Amino acid sequence: ALVHPDKPKRTGRIGNLFVFDNLGKTEVQEAHAGEIVMFAGFPAVEIGDTLVTNENGGADCAEHLPPIAVEQPTVRMTIGVNKSPLAGREGKFLTSRMIRDRLFKELDRNVALQVAETDSADRYEVSGRGQLHLTVLIETMRREGFELEVGPPSVIFLENEETGKMEEPWEAVEVRVPEEYMGSVVD
């Protein structure tokens, strides 16, 4: 069964169970604590769901884990159909439908990404955790044969709940280095 603190319990049957083994995966009949697994058979599994046993009506099952929060995007840009005079010379996937399908397919495995439709039928707003996150997506799509027009990145400002002011996102980091390298790290 799948349990989540904010949703009703969903029952089902696991069709296949895989354990990750080095660079591949191996199908197994059972998994043990600490193993990283992949399973098939439950539709619509989301981040924060906990898989538990349903034996004896779930009476012996463990408590659900507290759900993790996926960090919100910090940068957005538009991705759309290439409209330049040289369009169609490099890629094989050129239409807005192909680009749309690929972007929404990416949401299945890239949980920090957000894709939204825009007023234009051939352009989509893509938000991610930073420029590198979005650059990896764009380069992957380019290597797959997509030809894209990419807009400039812009920061996603959020309202500070305490002050009510709009602020840009920031990350806190702690770096511990030997004293002789301190100047290089601070600069």
Side-chain angles (χ1 to χ4, degrees):
L2 285 177
V3 292
H4 190 279
D6 303 328
K7 301 175 192 169
K9 181 170 85 170
R10 293 179 289 153
T11 59
R13 180 172 299 279
I14 292 179
N16 303 86
L17 179 65
F18 300 92
V19 173
F20 285 93
D21 179 26
N22 294 328
L23 297 177
K25 59 184 186 273
T26 307
E27 187 167 3
V28 295
Q29 293 299 314
E30 61 183 27
H32 303 283
E35 293 180 316
I36 299 174
V37 300
M38 179 176 77
F39 59 90
F42 275 96
V45 176
E46 298 177 7
I47 296 292
D49 289 345
T50 302
L51 180 67
V52 298
T53 181
N54 203 35
E55 294 174 354
N56 299 329
D60 300 332
C61 75
E63 291 292 316
H64 63 79
L65 297 174
I68 61 170
V70 177
E71 293 189 27
Q72 293 300 307
T74 58
V75 176
R76 75 170 58 100
M77 59 176 46
T78 58
I79 296 178
V81 174
N82 185 2
K83 297 179 185 172
S84 78
L86 302 175
R89 296 195 181 177
E90 287 190 20
K92 57 184 177 183
F93 303 120
L94 309 170
T95 66
S96 63
R97 183 186 57 77
M98 291 175 172
I99 293 170
R100 181 190 187 283
D101 291 346
R102 175 63 178 84
L103 288 173
F104 280 95
K105 181 181 175 190
E106 184 70 18
L107 296 176
D108 290 340
R109 61 177 174 256
N110 193 339
V111 296
L113 192 73
Q114 293 180 359
V115 178
E117 310 247 356
T118 63
D119 296 337
S120 174
D122 59 355
R123 185 169 290 143
Y124 304 93
E125 186 177 87
V126 181
S127 304
R129 290 288 302 140
Q131 274 186 277
L132 179 62
H133 183 202
L134 297 178
T135 302
V136 169
L137 170 66
I138 292 165
E139 181 60 18
T140 302
M141 290 178 69
R142 188 193 67 77
R143 290 181 182 189
E144 291 172 355
F146 286 88
E147 195 169 301
L148 310 167
E149 176 182 276
V150 179
S154 62
V155 174
I156 299 173
F157 291 90
L158 298 173
E159 183 178 343
N160 184 325
E161 295 176 5
E162 295 174 8
T163 64
K165 294 182 180 178
M166 296 301 285
E167 296 178 349
E168 66 179 271
W170 57 276
E171 300 281 340
V173 64
E174 181 178 328
V175 181
R176 295 181 184 203
V177 295
E179 196 169 326
E180 66 225 43
Y181 301 113
M182 229 180 243
S184 301
V185 171
V186 172
D187 291 340

